[in-house]
Amino acid sequence: MTVKSTGRSLNAINIPQMRPTGRGVNSAWVRRVNAVLLMQALRRHPGSSQRELAVLTGLDKATVSAVTSQLVDAGLVARSTAPAAVRRLGRPAVALTIPRSAGIVFG
């Protein structure tokens, strides 16, 4: 996945593009796959909260939180000031979006 126009990409969060080889788990590759899953889910469901993204992707809430923080730091995802669409008791969910400043995404 590459982002054009601003020079940002998933590589900006230090995730290599190579697939794991040999035995064992390549955790960097797994993080890249998780980031791609979140970006795809967010593209299909803009304004989703981290909780909703966890349900949509099947990822653990802690994983969604960690990867979302990396994507926000890289400027590929923005936290919206508007609350997420689904209302529930407790802390209000924050809607996440892909900002226009992130550029165009090619997969």
Coordinates of all heavy atoms in Angstrom, one line a residue:
M1 N 0.9 -1.2 0.0 CA 0.0 0.0 0.0 C 0.9 1.2 0.0 O 1.8 1.3 0.8 CB -0.9 0.0 1.3 CG -1.8 1.1 1.4 SD -2.8 1.0 2.8 CE -4.2 0.3 2.1
T2 N 0.6 2.1 -0.9 CA 1.4 3.3 -1.0 C 0.5 4.6 -1.1 O -0.5 4.5 -1.7 CB 2.3 3.3 -2.3 OG1 3.1 2.1 -2.3 CG2 3.2 4.5 -2.4
V3 N 1.0 5.6 -0.4 CA 0.2 6.9 -0.4 C 1.0 7.9 -1.3 O 2.2 8.1 -1.1 CB 0.1 7.4 1.0 CG1 -0.7 8.8 1.0 CG2 -0.7 6.4 1.9
K4 N 0.3 8.4 -2.3 CA 0.9 9.4 -3.2 C 0.5 10.8 -2.8 O -0.4 11.0 -2.1 CB 0.5 9.1 -4.6 CG 1.0 7.8 -5.2 CD 2.5 7.7 -5.3 CE 2.9 6.4 -5.8 NZ 4.3 6.3 -5.9
S5 N 1.2 11.8 -3.2 CA 1.0 13.2 -3.1 C 1.6 13.8 -1.9 O 2.1 14.9 -2.0 CB -0.5 13.6 -3.2 OG -1.1 13.5 -2.0
T6 N 1.6 13.2 -0.8 CA 2.3 13.8 0.4 C 3.6 13.1 0.8 O 4.2 13.5 1.7 CB 1.3 13.7 1.6 OG1 1.1 12.4 1.9 CG2 0.0 14.5 1.4
G7 N 3.9 12.0 0.1 CA 5.1 11.2 0.4 C 4.9 10.3 1.6 O 5.9 9.7 2.0
R8 N 3.8 10.3 2.2 CA 3.6 9.4 3.4 C 3.2 8.0 2.9 O 2.6 7.9 1.9 CB 2.5 9.9 4.3 CG 2.8 11.2 4.9 CD 1.7 11.6 5.8 NE 1.7 13.1 5.9 CZ 0.7 13.8 6.1 NH1 -0.5 13.3 6.2 NH2 0.8 15.1 6.1
S9 N 3.5 7.0 3.6 CA 3.1 5.7 3.3 C 3.1 4.8 4.6 O 3.5 5.3 5.6 CB 4.0 5.0 2.3 OG 5.3 4.7 2.8
L10 N 2.7 3.6 4.5 CA 2.7 2.7 5.6 C 4.2 2.5 6.0 O 4.5 2.1 7.2 CB 2.0 1.4 5.4 CG 0.5 1.5 5.3 CD1 -0.1 0.1 5.0 CD2 -0.1 2.1 6.5
N11 N 5.1 2.7 5.1 CA 6.5 2.6 5.5 C 6.9 3.7 6.4 O 7.9 3.6 7.1 CB 7.4 2.7 4.2 CG 7.2 1.5 3.3 OD1 6.9 0.4 3.8 ND2 7.3 1.6 2.0
A12 N 6.1 4.8 6.5 CA 6.4 5.9 7.5 C 6.3 5.4 8.9 O 6.9 6.0 9.8 CB 5.5 7.0 7.2
I13 N 5.7 4.3 9.1 CA 5.6 3.8 10.5 C 6.5 2.6 10.7 O 6.3 1.7 11.5 CB 4.1 3.4 10.9 CG1 3.5 2.4 9.9 CG2 3.3 4.6 11.0 CD1 2.1 1.9 10.3
N14 N 7.6 2.5 9.8 CA 8.6 1.5 10.0 C 8.2 0.1 9.9 O 8.5 -0.7 10.7 CB 9.4 1.7 11.3 CG 10.1 3.1 11.3 OD1 10.5 3.6 10.3 ND2 10.0 3.7 12.5
I15 N 7.3 -0.2 8.9 CA 6.9 -1.5 8.7 C 7.4 -2.0 7.3 O 7.0 -1.5 6.3 CB 5.3 -1.6 8.7 CG1 4.8 -1.2 10.1 CG2 4.9 -3.0 8.4 CD1 3.4 -1.1 10.2
P16 N 8.3 -3.0 7.3 CA 8.8 -3.5 6.0 C 7.7 -4.1 5.2 O 6.7 -4.6 5.7 CB 9.9 -4.5 6.5 CG 9.5 -5.0 7.8 CD 8.8 -3.8 8.4
Q17 N 8.0 -4.2 3.8 CA 7.0 -4.7 2.9 C 7.2 -6.2 2.6 O 6.4 -6.8 2.0 CB 7.0 -3.9 1.6 CG 6.6 -2.5 1.8 CD 6.6 -1.8 0.5 OE1 6.7 -2.4 -0.6 NE2 6.4 -0.5 0.5
M18 N 8.3 -6.8 3.1 CA 8.5 -8.2 2.7 C 7.7 -9.1 3.6 O 7.3 -8.9 4.7 CB 10.0 -8.5 2.9 CG 10.5 -8.4 4.3 SD 12.3 -8.6 4.4 CE 12.8 -7.0 4.2
R19 N 7.3 -10.2 2.9 CA 6.6 -11.3 3.6 C 7.5 -12.2 4.4 O 8.7 -12.3 4.1 CB 5.9 -12.1 2.4 CG 5.0 -13.2 3.0 CD 4.3 -13.9 1.8 NE 3.6 -15.0 2.3 CZ 2.3 -15.0 2.5 NH1 1.6 -13.9 2.3 NH2 1.7 -16.1 3.0
P20 N 7.1 -12.7 5.5 CA 8.0 -13.5 6.3 C 8.5 -14.7 5.6 O 7.8 -15.3 4.7 CB 7.1 -14.0 7.5 CG 5.7 -13.8 7.0 CD 5.7 -12.8 6.0
T21 N 9.7 -15.1 5.9 CA 10.4 -16.3 5.3 C 10.9 -17.1 6.4 O 11.2 -16.7 7.5 CB 11.5 -15.9 4.3 OG1 12.5 -15.1 5.1 CG2 11.0 -15.0 3.2
G22 N 11.0 -18.4 6.1 CA 11.6 -19.3 7.1 C 10.6 -19.6 8.2 O 9.4 -19.5 8.0
R23 N 11.1 -20.0 9.3 CA 10.3 -20.4 10.4 C 10.0 -19.2 11.4 O 10.8 -18.3 11.4 CB 10.9 -21.5 11.2 CG 11.0 -22.7 10.3 CD 11.6 -23.9 11.1 NE 11.8 -25.0 10.2 CZ 11.9 -26.2 10.5 NH1 12.0 -26.5 11.8 NH2 12.1 -27.2 9.6
G24 N 9.0 -19.3 12.2 CA 8.7 -18.3 13.1 C 7.9 -17.2 12.6 O 7.5 -17.2 11.4
V25 N 7.5 -16.3 13.4 CA 6.6 -15.2 13.0 C 7.4 -13.9 12.8 O 8.2 -13.5 13.6 CB 5.5 -15.0 14.1 CG1 4.7 -13.8 13.7 CG2 4.7 -16.2 14.3
N26 N 7.2 -13.2 11.7 CA 7.8 -12.0 11.4 C 6.9 -10.9 12.0 O 5.9 -10.5 11.3 CB 8.1 -11.8 9.9 CG 8.8 -10.5 9.6 OD1 8.7 -9.5 10.3 ND2 9.5 -10.5 8.5
S27 N 7.1 -10.4 13.2 CA 6.2 -9.5 13.8 C 6.0 -8.2 13.0 O 5.0 -7.6 13.0 CB 6.6 -9.2 15.3 OG 7.9 -8.6 15.3
A28 N 7.1 -7.7 12.4 CA 7.0 -6.5 11.6 C 6.0 -6.7 10.4 O 5.2 -5.8 10.1 CB 8.3 -6.1 11.0
W29 N 6.0 -7.9 9.8 CA 5.1 -8.2 8.7 C 3.6 -8.2 9.3 O 2.7 -7.7 8.6 CB 5.5 -9.5 8.0 CG 4.6 -9.8 6.8 CD1 4.8 -9.2 5.6 CD2 3.5 -10.7 6.7 NE1 3.8 -9.7 4.7 CE2 3.1 -10.6 5.4 CE3 2.9 -11.5 7.7 CZ2 2.0 -11.4 5.0 CZ3 1.9 -12.3 7.2 CH2 1.4 -12.2 5.9
V30 N 3.5 -8.8 10.4 CA 2.1 -8.9 11.0 C 1.6 -7.5 11.3 O 0.4 -7.2 11.1 CB 2.2 -9.8 12.3 CG1 0.8 -9.7 13.1 CG2 2.5 -11.2 12.0
R31 N 2.4 -6.6 11.8 CA 2.0 -5.2 12.1 C 1.6 -4.5 10.8 O 0.6 -3.8 10.7 CB 3.1 -4.4 12.8 CG 3.3 -4.8 14.2 CD 4.2 -3.8 15.0 NE 5.5 -3.7 14.4 CZ 6.5 -4.5 14.8 NH1 6.3 -5.4 15.7 NH2 7.7 -4.3 14.2
R32 N 2.3 -4.8 9.7 CA 2.0 -4.2 8.4 C 0.6 -4.7 7.9 O -0.2 -3.9 7.5 CB 3.0 -4.5 7.4 CG 2.7 -3.9 6.0 CD 3.8 -4.1 5.0 NE 3.4 -3.7 3.7 CZ 3.3 -2.4 3.3 NH1 3.5 -1.5 4.2 NH2 2.9 -2.1 2.1
V33 N 0.4 -6.0 8.1 CA -0.9 -6.6 7.7 C -2.0 -6.0 8.5 O -3.1 -5.6 8.0 CB -0.9 -8.1 7.8 CG1 -2.3 -8.7 7.7 CG2 0.1 -8.7 6.8
N34 N -1.8 -5.8 9.8 CA -2.8 -5.2 10.7 C -3.1 -3.8 10.3 O -4.3 -3.3 10.3 CB -2.4 -5.3 12.2 CG -2.4 -6.7 12.7 OD1 -3.0 -7.6 12.1 ND2 -1.7 -6.9 13.8
A35 N -2.1 -3.0 9.9 CA -2.3 -1.6 9.5 C -3.1 -1.6 8.2 O -4.0 -0.8 8.0 CB -0.9 -1.0 9.3
V36 N -2.8 -2.5 7.3 CA -3.5 -2.5 6.0 C -5.0 -2.9 6.3 O -5.9 -2.3 5.7 CB -2.9 -3.5 5.0 CG1 -3.8 -3.8 3.8 CG2 -1.5 -3.0 4.6
L37 N -5.2 -3.9 7.2 CA -6.6 -4.3 7.5 C -7.4 -3.1 8.1 O -8.5 -2.8 7.7 CB -6.6 -5.4 8.6 CG -6.3 -6.8 8.0 CD1 -6.1 -7.7 9.2 CD2 -7.3 -7.3 7.1
L38 N -6.7 -2.3 9.0 CA -7.4 -1.2 9.6 C -7.7 -0.1 8.5 O -8.8 0.5 8.5 CB -6.6 -0.6 10.7 CG -6.6 -1.4 12.0 CD1 -5.7 -0.8 13.0 CD2 -8.0 -1.5 12.6
M39 N -6.7 0.2 7.7 CA -6.9 1.2 6.6 C -8.0 0.8 5.7 O -8.9 1.6 5.3 CB -5.6 1.4 5.8 CG -4.5 2.2 6.6 SD -5.0 3.8 7.1 CE -4.9 4.7 5.6
Q40 N -8.1 -0.5 5.3 CA -9.2 -0.9 4.4 C -10.5 -0.8 5.1 O -11.5 -0.4 4.5 CB -9.0 -2.4 4.0 CG -7.8 -2.5 3.0 CD -7.5 -4.0 2.7 OE1 -8.0 -4.9 3.4 NE2 -6.8 -4.2 1.6
A41 N -10.6 -1.2 6.4 CA -11.9 -1.1 7.1 C -12.3 0.3 7.3 O -13.5 0.7 7.2 CB -11.7 -1.8 8.5
L42 N -11.4 1.2 7.5 CA -11.7 2.6 7.7 C -12.1 3.3 6.4 O -12.9 4.2 6.4 CB -10.5 3.4 8.3 CG -10.7 4.7 8.9 CD1 -11.9 4.7 9.9 CD2 -9.5 5.2 9.6
R43 N -11.5 2.8 5.3 CA -11.9 3.3 4.0 C -13.3 2.9 3.7 O -14.1 3.7 3.1 CB -10.9 2.8 2.9 CG -11.2 3.3 1.5 CD -10.3 2.8 0.5 NE -10.3 1.3 0.4 CZ -11.1 0.6 -0.2 NH1 -12.1 1.1 -0.9 NH2 -11.0 -0.8 -0.2
R44 N -13.7 1.7 4.0 CA -15.0 1.2 3.8 C -16.1 1.7 4.7 O -17.3 1.8 4.4 CB -15.0 -0.3 3.8 CG -14.3 -0.9 2.6 CD -14.4 -2.4 2.7 NE -13.6 -3.0 1.6 CZ -12.7 -3.9 1.8 NH1 -12.4 -4.4 3.0 NH2 -12.0 -4.4 0.7
H45 N -15.6 2.0 6.0 CA -16.5 2.5 7.0 C -16.0 3.8 7.7 O -15.5 3.7 8.8 CB -16.7 1.4 8.1 CG -17.2 0.1 7.5 ND1 -18.5 -0.1 7.2 CD2 -16.5 -1.0 7.1 CE1 -18.6 -1.3 6.7 NE2 -17.4 -1.9 6.7
P46 N -16.0 4.9 7.0 CA -15.4 6.1 7.5 C -16.2 6.6 8.8 O -17.4 6.4 8.8 CB -15.5 7.1 6.4 CG -16.5 6.6 5.4 CD -16.5 5.1 5.6
G47 N -15.5 7.1 9.7 CA -16.1 7.6 10.9 C -16.3 6.5 12.0 O -17.0 6.7 13.0
S48 N -15.7 5.3 11.8 CA -15.8 4.2 12.7 C -14.9 4.5 14.0 O -13.9 5.3 13.9 CB -15.3 2.9 12.1 OG -16.2 2.5 11.1
S49 N -15.3 4.0 15.1 CA -14.5 4.1 16.3 C -13.5 2.9 16.3 O -13.6 2.0 15.6 CB -15.4 4.1 17.5 OG -16.0 2.8 17.7
Q50 N -12.6 3.0 17.3 CA -11.6 1.9 17.4 C -12.4 0.6 17.8 O -12.0 -0.5 17.3 CB -10.6 2.2 18.5 CG -9.6 3.3 18.1 CD -8.5 3.5 19.1 OE1 -8.3 2.7 20.0 NE2 -7.8 4.6 19.0
R51 N -13.4 0.7 18.6 CA -14.2 -0.5 19.0 C -14.8 -1.1 17.7 O -14.8 -2.3 17.5 CB -15.2 -0.1 20.0 CG -16.2 -1.2 20.2 CD -17.2 -0.8 21.3 NE -16.6 -1.3 22.5 CZ -17.2 -1.4 23.7 NH1 -18.5 -1.1 23.7 NH2 -16.6 -1.9 24.7
E52 N -15.4 -0.3 16.9 CA -16.1 -0.8 15.7 C -15.0 -1.4 14.7 O -15.3 -2.4 14.1 CB -16.8 0.4 15.0 CG -18.0 0.9 15.8 CD -18.5 2.2 15.3 OE1 -17.8 3.0 14.6 OE2 -19.7 2.5 15.6
L53 N -13.8 -0.8 14.6 CA -12.8 -1.3 13.8 C -12.3 -2.7 14.3 O -12.0 -3.6 13.5 CB -11.6 -0.3 13.7 CG -11.8 0.9 12.9 CD1 -10.7 1.9 13.0 CD2 -12.1 0.6 11.4
A54 N -12.3 -2.9 15.6 CA -11.9 -4.2 16.2 C -12.9 -5.2 15.7 O -12.6 -6.3 15.4 CB -11.9 -4.1 17.7
V55 N -14.2 -4.9 15.7 CA -15.2 -5.8 15.3 C -15.1 -6.1 13.8 O -15.2 -7.2 13.4 CB -16.7 -5.3 15.7 CG1 -17.8 -6.1 15.1 CG2 -16.8 -5.2 17.2
L56 N -15.0 -5.0 13.0 CA -14.9 -5.2 11.6 C -13.7 -6.0 11.1 O -13.8 -6.8 10.2 CB -14.8 -3.8 10.9 CG -16.1 -2.9 11.0 CD1 -15.8 -1.5 10.6 CD2 -17.2 -3.6 10.1
T57 N -12.6 -5.9 11.8 CA -11.4 -6.5 11.3 C -11.1 -7.8 12.1 O -10.3 -8.7 11.6 CB -10.1 -5.6 11.6 OG1 -10.0 -5.3 13.0 CG2 -10.2 -4.4 10.7
G58 N -11.7 -8.0 13.2 CA -11.5 -9.2 14.0 C -10.2 -9.1 14.8 O -9.7 -10.1 15.4
L59 N -9.6 -7.9 14.9 CA -8.4 -7.7 15.6 C -8.7 -7.4 17.1 O -9.8 -6.9 17.4 CB -7.5 -6.6 15.1 CG -7.0 -6.8 13.7 CD1 -6.4 -5.5 13.1 CD2 -6.0 -7.9 13.6
D60 N -7.8 -7.7 18.0 CA -7.9 -7.4 19.4 C -8.0 -5.9 19.6 O -7.3 -5.1 18.9 CB -6.7 -8.0 20.1 CG -6.7 -7.8 21.6 OD1 -7.6 -8.5 22.2 OD2 -6.0 -7.0 22.1
K61 N -8.7 -5.4 20.6 CA -8.8 -4.0 20.9 C -7.5 -3.3 21.1 O -7.2 -2.2 20.7 CB -9.8 -3.7 22.1 CG -11.2 -4.0 21.7 CD -12.1 -3.6 22.9 CE -12.2 -4.7 23.9 NZ -13.1 -4.5 25.0
A62 N -6.6 -4.0 21.8 CA -5.3 -3.5 22.1 C -4.4 -3.3 20.8 O -3.7 -2.3 20.7 CB -4.5 -4.4 23.1
T63 N -4.6 -4.3 19.9 CA -3.9 -4.2 18.6 C -4.4 -3.0 17.8 O -3.6 -2.3 17.3 CB -4.1 -5.5 17.8 OG1 -3.5 -6.6 18.6 CG2 -3.4 -5.4 16.5
V64 N -5.7 -2.9 17.8 CA -6.3 -1.7 17.1 C -5.9 -0.4 17.6 O -5.5 0.5 16.9 CB -7.9 -1.8 17.1 CG1 -8.5 -0.6 16.5 CG2 -8.4 -3.0 16.3
S65 N -5.8 -0.3 19.0 CA -5.3 0.9 19.6 C -3.9 1.2 19.2 O -3.6 2.4 18.9 CB -5.5 0.8 21.1 OG -5.0 1.9 21.8
A66 N -3.0 0.2 19.3 CA -1.6 0.4 19.0 C -1.4 0.8 17.5 O -0.7 1.8 17.2 CB -0.8 -0.8 19.3
V67 N -2.0 0.1 16.6 CA -1.8 0.4 15.2 C -2.5 1.7 14.8 O -1.9 2.5 14.1 CB -2.4 -0.8 14.3 CG1 -2.4 -0.4 12.9 CG2 -1.7 -2.0 14.6
T68 N -3.6 2.0 15.4 CA -4.3 3.3 15.2 C -3.4 4.5 15.6 O -3.2 5.5 14.9 CB -5.6 3.4 15.9 OG1 -6.5 2.4 15.4 CG2 -6.3 4.8 15.7
S69 N -2.7 4.3 16.8 CA -1.8 5.4 17.2 C -0.7 5.6 16.2 O -0.3 6.7 16.0 CB -1.2 5.0 18.6 OG -2.2 5.0 19.6
Q70 N -0.1 4.5 15.7 CA 1.0 4.6 14.7 C 0.5 5.3 13.4 O 1.2 6.1 12.9 CB 1.5 3.2 14.3 CG 2.3 2.5 15.4 CD 2.7 1.1 15.0 OE1 2.0 0.5 14.2 NE2 3.8 0.7 15.6
L71 N -0.8 5.0 13.0 CA -1.3 5.6 11.8 C -1.6 7.1 12.0 O -1.4 7.9 11.1 CB -2.6 4.8 11.4 CG -2.4 3.4 10.8 CD1 -3.7 2.7 10.6 CD2 -1.5 3.4 9.6
V72 N -2.1 7.4 13.2 CA -2.3 8.8 13.5 C -1.0 9.6 13.6 O -0.9 10.7 13.0 CB -3.1 9.0 14.9 CG1 -3.0 10.4 15.4 CG2 -4.5 8.5 14.8
D73 N 0.0 9.0 14.2 CA 1.4 9.6 14.2 C 1.9 9.8 12.8 O 2.6 10.8 12.5 CB 2.3 8.8 15.1 CG 2.0 8.9 16.5 OD1 1.2 9.7 16.9 OD2 2.5 8.0 17.3
A74 N 1.6 8.9 11.9 CA 2.1 9.0 10.5 C 1.3 9.9 9.7 O 1.6 10.2 8.5 CB 2.2 7.6 9.9
G75 N 0.2 10.4 10.2 CA -0.7 11.3 9.5 C -1.6 10.6 8.5 O -2.2 11.3 7.6
L76 N -1.8 9.3 8.6 CA -2.6 8.6 7.7 C -4.0 8.4 8.2 O -5.0 8.1 7.4 CB -2.0 7.2 7.4 CG -0.7 7.2 6.7 CD1 -0.1 5.8 6.6 CD2 -0.8 7.8 5.3
V77 N -4.2 8.7 9.5 CA -5.6 8.6 10.1 C -5.7 9.8 11.0 O -4.7 10.2 11.7 CB -5.7 7.3 10.9 CG1 -7.0 7.2 11.7 CG2 -5.7 6.1 10.0
A78 N -6.9 10.3 11.1 CA -7.2 11.5 12.0 C -8.3 11.1 12.9 O -9.3 10.4 12.6 CB -7.5 12.7 11.2
R79 N -8.2 11.6 14.2 CA -9.3 11.5 15.1 C -10.2 12.7 14.9 O -9.8 13.8 15.0 CB -8.7 11.4 16.5 CG -8.0 10.2 16.8 CD -7.5 10.1 18.3 NE -7.0 8.8 18.6 CZ -5.7 8.5 18.7 NH1 -4.8 9.5 18.5 NH2 -5.3 7.3 18.9
S80 N -11.5 12.4 14.7 CA -12.5 13.4 14.4 C -12.9 14.0 15.8 O -13.0 13.4 16.8 CB -13.6 12.8 13.7 OG -14.6 13.8 13.5
T81 N -13.4 15.3 15.7 CA -13.9 15.9 16.9 C -15.4 15.5 17.1 O -15.9 15.6 18.2 CB -13.8 17.5 16.8 OG1 -14.5 17.9 15.6 CG2 -12.4 17.9 16.8
A82 N -16.0 15.0 16.0 CA -17.4 14.5 16.1 C -17.4 13.2 16.7 O -16.5 12.3 16.4 CB -18.0 14.5 14.7
P83 N -18.4 12.9 17.6 CA -18.5 11.5 18.1 C -18.8 10.5 17.1 O -19.4 10.8 16.0 CB -19.6 11.6 19.2 CG -20.4 12.8 18.7 CD -19.5 13.7 18.0
A84 N -18.5 9.2 17.3 CA -18.8 8.2 16.4 C -20.3 8.0 16.3 O -21.0 8.4 17.2 CB -18.1 6.8 16.9
A85 N -20.8 7.4 15.3 CA -22.2 7.3 15.0 C -23.0 6.5 16.1 O -24.1 6.9 16.4 CB -22.4 6.6 13.6
V86 N -22.4 5.5 16.6 CA -23.1 4.6 17.6 C -22.9 5.2 19.0 O -21.8 5.5 19.4 CB -22.5 3.2 17.5 CG1 -23.1 2.3 18.6 CG2 -22.7 2.6 16.1
R87 N -24.0 5.4 19.6 CA -24.0 5.9 21.0 C -24.1 4.8 22.0 O -24.8 3.8 21.8 CB -25.2 6.9 21.2 CG -25.2 8.1 20.3 CD -24.1 9.1 20.6 NE -24.3 9.6 21.9 CZ -23.4 10.3 22.6 NH1 -22.3 10.6 22.0 NH2 -23.6 10.8 23.8
R88 N -23.4 4.9 23.1 CA -23.4 3.8 24.1 C -23.1 4.5 25.4 O -22.6 5.6 25.5 CB -22.5 2.7 23.8 CG -21.0 3.1 23.7 CD -20.1 1.9 23.4 NE -18.8 2.3 23.4 CZ -18.0 2.4 24.5 NH1 -18.4 2.1 25.7 NH2 -16.7 2.7 24.4
L89 N -23.3 3.8 26.5 CA -22.9 4.3 27.8 C -21.4 4.3 28.0 O -20.7 3.6 27.3 CB -23.5 3.4 28.9 CG -25.1 3.4 29.0 CD1 -25.5 2.4 30.0 CD2 -25.6 4.7 29.3
G90 N -21.0 5.2 28.9 CA -19.5 5.3 29.1 C -18.9 6.3 28.3 O -19.5 7.3 27.8
R91 N -17.6 6.2 28.2 CA -16.8 7.2 27.5 C -17.2 7.3 26.0 O -17.4 6.3 25.4 CB -15.3 6.8 27.5 CG -14.4 7.8 26.8 CD -13.0 7.4 26.7 NE -12.4 7.2 28.0 CZ -11.2 6.7 28.3 NH1 -10.5 6.3 27.3 NH2 -10.8 6.6 29.5
P92 N -17.4 8.5 25.5 CA -17.9 8.6 24.1 C -16.8 8.1 23.1 O -15.6 8.4 23.3 CB -18.1 10.1 23.9 CG -17.6 10.8 25.1 CD -17.3 9.8 26.1
A93 N -17.2 7.4 22.1 CA -16.3 6.9 21.1 C -15.8 8.0 20.2 O -16.6 8.9 19.9 CB -16.9 5.8 20.3
V94 N -14.6 8.0 19.8 CA -14.0 9.0 18.9 C -14.0 8.4 17.5 O -13.5 7.3 17.2 CB -12.6 9.4 19.3 CG1 -12.0 10.4 18.3 CG2 -12.6 10.0 20.7
A95 N -14.6 9.2 16.5 CA -14.6 8.7 15.1 C -13.3 8.9 14.5 O -12.6 9.9 14.7 CB -15.7 9.5 14.4
L96 N -12.9 7.9 13.7 CA -11.6 8.0 13.0 C -11.9 8.2 11.5 O -12.9 7.6 11.0 CB -10.8 6.7 13.2 CG -10.5 6.4 14.6 CD1 -9.9 5.0 14.8 CD2 -9.5 7.4 15.2
T97 N -11.1 8.9 10.8 CA -11.2 9.2 9.4 C -9.8 9.1 8.7 O -8.8 9.3 9.4 CB -11.9 10.5 9.1 OG1 -11.0 11.6 9.7 CG2 -13.3 10.6 9.7
I98 N -9.9 9.0 7.4 CA -8.6 9.1 6.6 C -8.7 10.6 6.1 O -9.5 10.9 5.3 CB -8.6 8.1 5.5 CG1 -8.6 6.7 6.0 CG2 -7.4 8.3 4.6 CD1 -8.7 5.6 4.9
P99 N -7.7 11.4 6.6 CA -7.8 12.8 6.1 C -7.4 13.0 4.7 O -6.6 12.2 4.1 CB -6.8 13.5 7.1 CG -5.8 12.4 7.4 CD -6.6 11.1 7.4
R100 N -7.9 14.0 4.1 CA -7.6 14.3 2.7 C -6.1 14.6 2.5 O -5.5 14.3 1.5 CB -8.4 15.5 2.2 CG -9.9 15.2 2.0 CD -10.6 16.4 1.4 NE -11.7 15.9 0.6 CZ -11.6 15.7 -0.7 NH1 -10.5 16.1 -1.4 NH2 -12.6 15.2 -1.4
S101 N -5.5 15.1 3.6 CA -4.1 15.4 3.5 C -3.2 14.1 3.4 O -2.0 14.2 3.1 CB -3.6 16.2 4.7 OG -3.8 15.4 5.9
A102 N -3.8 12.9 3.7 CA -3.1 11.7 3.6 C -2.8 11.3 2.1 O -1.9 10.5 1.8 CB -3.8 10.5 4.2
G103 N -3.5 11.9 1.2 CA -3.2 11.7 -0.2 C -4.1 10.6 -0.8 O -5.1 10.2 -0.2
I104 N -3.7 10.0 -1.9 CA -4.4 8.9 -2.6 C -3.8 7.6 -2.2 O -2.6 7.5 -2.3 CB -4.4 9.2 -4.1 CG1 -5.1 10.5 -4.4 CG2 -5.1 8.0 -4.8 CD1 -4.9 10.9 -5.9
V105 N -4.6 6.6 -1.9 CA -4.1 5.3 -1.5 C -4.2 4.3 -2.7 O -5.3 4.2 -3.3 CB -4.8 4.8 -0.3 CG1 -4.3 3.4 0.1 CG2 -4.7 5.7 0.9
F106 N -3.1 3.7 -3.0 CA -3.1 2.6 -4.0 C -2.8 1.3 -3.3 O -1.9 1.3 -2.5 CB -2.1 2.9 -5.1 CG -2.3 4.1 -5.9 CD1 -1.8 5.3 -5.6 CD2 -3.2 4.0 -7.0 CE1 -2.0 6.4 -6.3 CE2 -3.4 5.2 -7.7 CZ -2.9 6.4 -7.4
G107 N -3.5 0.2 -3.7 CA -3.2 -1.1 -3.0 C -2.7 -2.1 -4.0 O -2.8 -1.9 -5.2

